[in-house]
Amino acid sequence: MGVNPQHANIKAVRGTRDLLPPETDLWFHVEHTARRVFACYGFGEVRTPIFEDTQLFARGVGEETDIVSKEMYTWEDRARAQSEKAQSLTLRPENTAGVVRAYIEHKLGETGQLQKLYYIGPQFRRERPQKGRYRQFFQIGAEVIGAPSSGSESPLRDAEVLEMLATLLNELDIKGWVLNLNSVGSSSERPRYIAALKAALEPVKANLCIDCQRRAETNPLRVLDCKVPQDQPIIATLPQIADYLDEASKAHFAAVLASLDACGVPYELNPRLVRGLDYYTRTTFEFSIETGLGTQNALLGGGRYDGLSEMLGGPKAPGIGFAIGEDRLILTLQAMQEASGAQVPQDKLDAYMAPMGEAQNPYALALAKELRTAGLRIEVGDGSFRLKKSFETADKLACKIVIIGEDEASSGELTVKDFATGQQVKLPREILIEQLKITSRNI
Ligand code: HAM
């Protein structure tokens, strides 16, 4: 008999996934560490909407980028009332455009202060799913933006962001990261470089992939991010942006490198690193890693975007930022744990309350409440369980079992067994809290 389609299992959509405990403990650890490190560098959290006006990404990220031309989740949002207009909306494929929109909308430039904002949240791109590449993925990112008078253009800001990232990766014990660095020049030098690139592409473009033949016309810079192996020997012969930088951009880049050297942050210069978004100017970077990610080895990317605010109709507001692919960071940490053979410690609860009959359930719950209020981590069984089942469940979940029988509830003396030592003792209720606190790893 065939499965009634109405009863077929509904699965998570391709390219999306559920994150479950205990894996989510690692996500929490990463996010907690990031928040702590960012706070030390003076960043505050920003939360922007998950969907925005489609125009924001078309203008901000760039019509010719892969993200905008093929990967966005866009829909026509119908008007629900006469007063409303239908609008094209898009699930955010990245967060920089949203942050800069918020900066403009809330006139943050008028504060005269440098804005240091970080975010943690889901982004959406309709890419071909594979390990480390999802259609819903998470980014931990940050942006430093402000009026030029706030020092937002200073190379010190670039170096500070890069040094913060190196510190964060080191705190997370990510080993073997490589920082690739480049300068893509300002909007005034870019046209000269693009003209040279176009001229160099003219005689060879027919030998490139179909996408690059189109890019050669519409946005030649994007040819440099092409991943098609057959195109690489041709791309290697194209002119390099470093030869087209003016004195100011060269000096800016040299100052970034000098500060990184002073802080002892290692980097590799990569003249082809132009990145897949159109808003970048001057410093661009990626941190990559060889462990556990296969082809998707870019752990994070970012750069300067000195003209983005103006592209979105805002005031002059130079900025620099980055986004870490959190899914990739977690995969890397997991691969490292596996490679080192380290046992991920099972984080057990402090105690399991085992009522021996349904009549003891209220007592068990009240005792659990008291212990939890004291900061202990407690699970409560159920009076319908047999003693054997209570012990088995407790042993899996917790360090200790607290047995609550009829006698225990009336005398206030509780039987406590420690699974690690095998010791079983009787303790008065008041002492139980103190005892559990002493042995808890949490408090
Ligand atoms: P991006 O290079 O497009 O830059 O993305 C940053 C990081 O997000 C990548 O290095 C990667 O780790 C992760 N990522 C991207 N797409 C996926 C995917 N489909 N699945 C899993 N992870 C992915 C940006 O998004 C810029 N907004 C960064 C930035 C901030 N630039 C300046 N400020």
Side-chain angles (χ1 to χ4, degrees), residues 78-377:
R78 282 177 291 129
R80 294 203 49 187
Q82 287 258 300
S83 57
E84 278 182 358
K85 274 204 257 157
Q87 197 180 7
S88 175
L89 300 179
T90 293
L91 289 180
R92 63 183 186 196
E94 61 99 57
N95 219 155
T96 309
V99 170
V100 176
R101 181 207 39 75
Y103 171 92
I104 299 167
E105 192 165 331
H106 301 285
K107 301 189 170 52
L108 298 181
E110 290 177 12
T111 63
Q113 297 291 317
L114 196 63
Q115 302 295 308
K116 293 176 118 178
L117 305 166
Y118 79 85
Y119 48 84
I120 300 178
Q123 318 292 332
F124 305 85
R125 297 183 193 175
R126 197 194 282 106
E127 295 198 78
R128 188 134 31 92
Q130 65 180 77
K131 186 174 181 188
R133 191 162 74 194
Y134 309 100
R135 291 182 167 176
Q136 172 173 320
F137 59 99
F138 286 78
Q139 284 187 341
I140 300 178
E143 313 294 345
V144 181
I145 180 169
S149 60
S150 69
S152 55
E153 231 164 337
S154 166
L156 172 83
R157 302 274 71 103
D158 308 40
E160 185 187 38
V161 159
L162 290 164
E163 186 274 310
M164 176 171 83
L165 281 165
T167 296
L168 175 59
L169 295 182
N170 292 341
E171 287 232 355
L172 288 169
D173 232 359
I174 301 268
K175 303 261 185 335
W177 52 261
V178 177
L179 162 57
N180 273 277
L181 203 54
N182 191 24
S183 173
V184 295
S186 66
S187 53
S188 59
E189 297 128 65
R190 201 80 60 73
R192 263 194 332 123
Y193 175 61
I194 290 174
L197 202 55
K198 255 192 167 156
L201 280 165
E202 201 44 51
V204 294
K205 68 179 183 204
N207 303 325
L208 292 171
C209 69
I210 285 284
D211 279 342
C212 279
Q213 293 186 17
R214 192 193 71 241
R215 291 173 187 139
E217 297 297 325
T218 54
N219 193 345
L221 263 191
R222 296 276 73 85
V223 172
L224 301 182
D225 340 298
C226 173
K227 301 280 185 302
V228 175
Q230 292 82 335
D231 287 4
Q232 300 311 310
I234 299 174
I235 293 174
T237 65
L238 297 173
Q240 298 196 353
I241 183 92
D243 299 325
Y244 292 80
L245 298 186
D246 64 17
E247 288 312 311
S249 285
K250 277 187 193 155
H252 191 277
F253 195 45
V256 175
L257 302 186
S259 288
L260 289 178
D261 292 339
C263 300
V265 176
Y267 53 83
E268 286 179 12
L269 298 180
N270 178 352
R272 302 234 161 255
L273 186 74
V274 291
R275 313 242 320 115
L277 300 92
D278 279 354
Y279 49 61
Y280 289 114
T281 53
R282 294 193 166 166
T283 313
T284 53
F285 57 86
E286 266 175 25
F287 283 68
S288 54
I289 187 106
E290 288 314 321
T291 318
L293 289 176
T295 53
Q296 302 302 308
N297 68 349
L299 206 53
L300 71 96
R304 218 168 234 294
Y305 43 84
D306 293 345
L308 179 55
S309 171
E310 287 137 297
M311 271 153 66
L312 297 176
K316 191 166 164 50
I320 179 160
F322 64 85
I324 303 172
E326 192 177 0
D327 307 72
R328 296 185 189 180
L329 192 67
I330 300 282
L331 282 170
T332 306
L333 284 171
Q334 287 167 336
M336 283 179 177
Q337 279 171 352
E338 235 167 72
S340 72
Q343 282 283 321
V344 183
Q346 267 265 336
D347 204 12
K348 285 195 166 181
L349 302 173
D350 293 309
Y352 182 93
M353 305 291 112
M356 291 295 104
E358 282 172 35
Q360 281 80 50
N361 276 354
Y363 183 94
L365 198 62
L367 179 59
K369 172 185 180 245
E370 200 178 321
L371 296 172
R372 287 164 171 160
T373 309
L376 292 159
R377 295 182 315 147

Side-chain angles (χ1 to χ4, degrees), residues 346 348 391-398 419:
Q346 267 265 336
K348 285 195 166 181
F391 266 87
E392 279 169 4
T393 314
D395 196 12
K396 276 195 202 116
L397 294 179
F419 290 114

